[in-house]
Amino acid sequence: MTDAPLRFSGPREVGGRHLIVDGVPAFELSFPCGTCALLFRRLDAEARALAAAALHDHLDAHVPAIDDPSLRELVSTFLPEGSYLPLLLSVEPVLVAPGGDLDYFSHEQVVHRGIDPNLGAPEDPATEYYRGSTRTIGDHETLFEFLVPMLPPSRNDRARVDAYEAAFRAGGAATVLAVSVLDRTQPYDSGDAHTGLVHFVLDGHHKLEAAARLGVAVTVLAFVSVEASLTDEATVFGLPELLAR
């Protein structure tokens, strides 16, 4: 893969983990202590969608095959070097507002580990986001799926969202593209673990909102970064089995 406008800062870099776009930290990610809370927090409201027009058109035309060489070549222009697990998922997205009734950070995370005494409040993602599925993957582990738009939904073009709604109603298929991390956290005083499959949306913002408004599933092509995830390689590559449960 080529030099890319997107990269993940490593767990040993000063300042913690971040998703960096065009050299600017766009999102703060879970701190790599293993017991710290799951987190994705928007830092840069001006972060851009990364997909070029050719890739956008490719993803609009049909649901792609994971091993499509032309797709891999297009994606390689903005994914950083590294190992990835590609996944083709069907996700029914639900739009969530921070602090709202469906907000993971205000509800499940508070039940799981309480409120951080240093914050005095639940974690704040500082962005609307979408939730996907929630799965029990073990006696003491739950997998949560999140789709985090690079552009806030408030910046979406209303006409384009309406056009995708009409296309979905007519049976059309379109694909959302994401780069993802798999972060596992387990409080030191609890046997229960929360694992977050966090998809950062690179293309498909209008499709996602349209699908959420209609309550229908959308196809998500996710490239899960092995090096950037807070879990081991075997767990990342075991995701297809976990997601099939």
Side-chain angles (χ1 to χ4, degrees), residues 37 110 113-123:
V110 171
R113 60 172 59 243
I115 291 175
D116 186 333
N118 296 316
L119 291 174
E123 295 283 2

Side-chain angles (χ1 to χ4, degrees), residues 96-121:
V96 175
D101 292 342
L102 299 177
D103 180 24
Y104 165 81
F105 300 100
S106 298
H107 297 285
E108 289 100 330
Q109 189 173 84
V110 171
V111 172
H112 182 226
R113 60 172 59 243
I115 291 175
D116 186 333
N118 296 316
L119 291 174

